[in-house]
Amino acid sequence: TSVWPNPVQSNTIQLNIELQRPGAVTVQIFDVTGKMVSGILTFNGVTGKNLFPVNTDLQPGVYLLKIVAGKEVQTQKIIVQ
């Protein structure tokens, strides 16, 4: 899983994720205190590479993206400038 651009200078990032099987991908964005700062975003992914645009609309700072696909959970740090 990768997120770009990072650092973020616009309101949209691209989430690049490869799935072993089709299914739902959920994304949550948290600030460094652990507060969720966006609603839960859900995308339907296909087997193989997927590219999802994520509207961040966040104030400058450091954030964590929690990405869940099936039983796999990943966390990505992003910096918003």
Side-chain angles (χ1 to χ4, degrees):
T1 302
S2 63
V3 178
W4 55 274
N6 195 9
V8 180
Q9 296 178 344
S10 67
N11 288 338
T12 303
I13 59 173
Q14 299 294 325
L15 174 62
N16 184 10
I17 186 167
E18 188 161 339
L19 300 176
Q20 299 300 317
R21 62 184 60 87
V25 176
T26 60
V27 178
Q28 295 171 285
I29 304 175
F30 298 88
D31 65 16
V32 293
T33 67
K35 178 183 174 190
M36 189 166 64
V37 295
S38 77
I40 298 174
L41 308 170
T42 303
F43 304 98
N44 291 314
V46 297
T47 300
K49 293 183 180 182
N50 292 266
L51 186 62
F52 304 114
V54 178
N55 184 358
T56 58
D57 198 26
L58 300 170
Q59 297 296 316
V62 177
Y63 298 89
L64 298 172
L65 273 66
K66 179 181 177 184
I67 305 158
V68 180
K71 294 181 181 180
E72 187 173 336
V73 179
Q74 294 187 12
T75 303
Q76 294 281 328
K77 178 174 81 171
I78 60 169
I79 298 169
V80 177
Q81 295 183 328

